[in-house]
Amino acid sequence: MTGRPERLFPLFAELRTLQGIGPKTAAHMVALGVEAPRDLLFTLPYSGIDRRLRPTIEDAVLPATLTVAVTVGRHMAARAKGGAYRIHVEDAETFFQLVFFHARGDYWSKALPEGSRRIVSGKVEAFDGIAQMVHPDHIVPEAEADSIPDFEPVYPLTAGVTQKLMFKATRAAMALVPDFPEWIDAAQKTKAEWPDFNTAAQIAHTPTRQEDLLPTAPARERLAYDELFAHQLTLALARATERRKPGRVSIGDGQLQARVIAALPYKATSAQDRAVAEINADMAGPMRMNRLLQGDVGAGKTLVAFMALLRAVEAAGQGVLMAPTEILARQHYESLVPLAEEAGVVLEVLTGRDKGVERRRKLDALARGDIHLLVGTHAVFQADVAFRDLRLAIIDEQHRFGVRQRLELGRKGEAVDVLVMTATPIPRSLSLAQYGDMDVSVLDEKPPGRQPIKTALISTGRMEEVVTRLRTVIDAGRQCYWVCPLVEESEVVDLTAAEERFKHLRAALGEGIVGLVHGQMPAAEKDAAMARFQAGDTKVLVATTVIEVGVNVPNATIMVIERAETFGLAQLHQMRGRVGRGDAASTCLLLYQSPLSENGRKRLEVLRETEDGFAIAETDLQMRGAGDLIGTAQSGVPRFRVADLERQAGLMAIAQSDARHLLSEDPGLQSDRGQAARLLLWLMRQEEAIRLISVG
């Protein structure tokens, strides 16, 4: 199955093969994401206009879009150049005016002669007590009344593309749809009462009432499911391909794990125990592990990760933990040193900072197997880094890190098991969209002894009170974070915002007390500023969102987030999790600029009410949508044209289990349904998946 099946050729031809679309229009349509007739099928109307014929406009509540039969009366030409040309018309009960601007010569007197009958449809408004229809959308002779649809679909538009054009283009695209075999599971289709694909496309483009436009309308739901199913089939194929690669069986006697557990000052949560058991089972199995460890701020992911690393050592192998930044790598290293000492294993750190003799020494020890566990940045990817027997790779903070890097890491060892950790609680529908190729362990409990964090909303007008409060906290020996707003996407503006705030606080609190970290700094300066704050030399750290992930300063008890309303909830929750890491009570102050919108206030109040990251992420998804929530551009979450991840989370879960089920029964997609599913993959532009089948 190398190329696209022939029956799909017309749908993937150039747009200008459709009647009425020339090169210019085709170029305009790209802005709508429409590059081939196939894309028009999935560009659905977002609303509709009721154009049913009525006898009169008499009792209508204006303004309203109305359709009536009229007798054409007197014409009144424009008094001044560029003025309005008016035509008096009468329906069965009353009269109104048709109004045209820029009327040319005798065009209208010929097109609408006095005494003729016409059907007109358009928006009617009252102006100076007279009802007017300005530039009707439709004017047709009575005999052609049928040419005006009872319910006219309204399509998304862009410059150079009109409703009329979209209407014709979508109809032309639908005429090209071949008879597709069914790729949806028969029982699922019956249960959901979905039409087949061709009927669904037809109905979705010819709604007859407002209800037909809802995501829950059967035709729309079916098309949404087709998108989600194709996506999950791709992920399931990727997962099956990964799993066909034999893993290494890593069985440990549990001695090292037991030593560390015994030395802990607290008892692990049942969620941690469960995750460790799932990972141990994966590592002992013949298939390669590909697991996501998802945990809220402070849920204890580090302990679970370390247990997994120890299992690799118990099996006489090595493990590596990779962090996205130098600071985080060193921090992981420092937090793991005491645990490594308890277990009696050799732990080292390798980052871009290691040069010359020191780097050589570490690399030799790694190759000999004298280093059991390595913590590092992507420097551990470099070609000269060789392990004696790498069995497990753990990646911290996935979304800085795509599927490609996961595979690259796998090449470092023979069939390395992969565990990905993320501290961002992701709503289920999104985690299925993003990590559907992985198995997931969730840490949904907080270890005992974590201090709750008090969250308060304060208007930016009370800035000076906040600064006074900081003074008190600093005098008591504590430290504070101050996060500056993200201004649009401009790093230059972010920079000025952060620098201004830094100067302001330095003037208020004194020299040497305030540090600054922002995205434009060279890495070494950033590290140095962070290190000073970690050591307690500076008491306040002014930062853009670089501190969002992972930094650990137990002595910091106040987090001020300026213009909190400009951040996403999940992001605010992450930043709040930077405090409350020691034994003192901590506070997060959300500074907002008033007036806050109703929606803005609701969002910030969710944070004040709960510390449950999963609940917060679900709210964020409902209120902002998937694209904003994770910055779709860099998140690896696909953009769907019909499916709505916020409202159709349930469909995503069904699609995942169905895709996995189909592949377990028919790994090569050879059965009738398998062949149909191949067509779906081509239709949904999932060429990646098709390559995986051919490889498999």
Side-chain angles (χ1 to χ4, degrees), residues 299-597:
K301 289 178 294 297
T302 315
L303 178 66
V304 174
F306 193 66
M307 288 293 150
L309 291 167
L310 289 181
R311 181 50 52 116
V313 181
E314 289 174 357
Q318 294 164 297
V320 63
L321 168 61
M322 260 193 56
T325 65
E326 178 122 2
I327 288 178
L328 281 174
R330 299 209 168 262
Q331 190 172 293
H332 272 308
Y333 172 69
E334 280 150 24
S335 67
L336 294 177
V337 166
L339 297 177
E341 282 170 359
E342 285 298 339
V345 297
V346 180
L347 171 76
E348 257 304 354
V349 60
L350 182 70
T351 67
R353 237 193 244 170
D354 293 295
K355 301 275 190 289
V357 182
E358 180 61 4
R359 179 178 162 87
R360 192 67 268 155
R361 182 187 68 74
K362 289 183 183 177
L363 294 185
D364 291 344
L366 204 58
R368 284 196 307 273
D370 295 348
I371 294 174
H372 301 132
L373 301 179
L374 184 67
V375 177
T377 53
H378 47 255
V380 302
F381 270 163
Q382 287 156 351
D384 61 348
V385 181
F387 293 81
R388 191 181 67 80
D389 182 10
L390 179 62
R391 296 195 167 228
L392 170 68
I394 301 184
I395 301 164
D396 187 16
E397 276 306 318
Q398 163 79 8
H399 33 249
R400 327 244 156 154
F401 212 86
V403 177
R404 195 168 300 117
Q405 285 99 326
R406 290 213 296 257
L407 297 175
E408 210 172 310
L409 193 66
R411 293 193 195 104
K412 277 280 169 209
E414 287 303 299
V416 173
D417 284 328
V418 175
L419 178 69
V420 171
M421 299 199 291
T422 171
T424 317
I426 307 168
R428 179 130 191 269
S429 58
L430 291 185
S431 79
L432 287 180
Q434 202 171 357
Y435 305 115
D437 59 327
M438 307 183 82
D439 300 303
V440 183
S441 296
V442 177
L443 297 180
D444 46 13
E445 304 167 48
K446 280 218 165 92
R450 284 294 297 230
Q451 292 281 341
I453 302 167
K454 184 171 179 267
T455 302
L457 274 57
I458 298 177
S459 143
T460 42
R462 294 168 56 194
M463 184 81 75
E464 291 317 310
E465 288 175 44
V466 175
V467 176
T468 311
R469 166 105 188 253
L470 288 196
R471 231 179 252 119
T472 321
V473 172
I474 293 166
D475 292 346
R478 297 291 176 185
Q479 290 168 277
C480 319
Y481 292 102
W482 189 298
V483 179
C484 292
L486 265 170
V487 188
E488 297 308 318
E489 291 298 301
S490 145
E491 294 195 333
V492 184
V493 189
D494 283 349
L495 182 56
T496 29
E499 282 177 338
E500 288 303 309
R501 182 58 60 222
F502 169 67
K503 286 179 193 150
H504 170 199
L505 290 174
R506 192 175 55 186
L509 301 169
E511 284 291 324
I513 285 184
V514 188
L516 172 67
V517 179
H518 57 71
Q520 299 287 293
M521 276 183 173
E525 273 181 48
K526 208 185 290 186
D527 285 2
M530 293 295 303
R532 282 197 298 276
F533 185 65
Q534 267 173 323
D537 300 341
T538 48
K539 303 299 180 197
V540 178
L541 184 65
V542 175
T544 49
T545 48
V546 284
I547 58 149
E548 189 186 323
V549 184
V551 188
N552 197 16
V553 181
N555 190 40
T557 58
I558 290 206
M559 166 65 71
V560 179
I561 302 173
E562 205 175 324
R563 296 294 308 276
E565 75 278 8
T566 62
F567 292 103
L569 286 184
Q571 209 178 10
L572 289 168
H573 175 65
Q574 285 296 310
M575 294 191 285
R576 169 170 68 180
R578 298 297 115 228
V579 294
R581 293 177 163 247
D583 44 17
S586 294
T587 309
C588 175
L589 303 177
L590 302 175
L591 298 184
Y592 63 87
Q593 187 155 328
S594 37
L596 259 185
S597 68

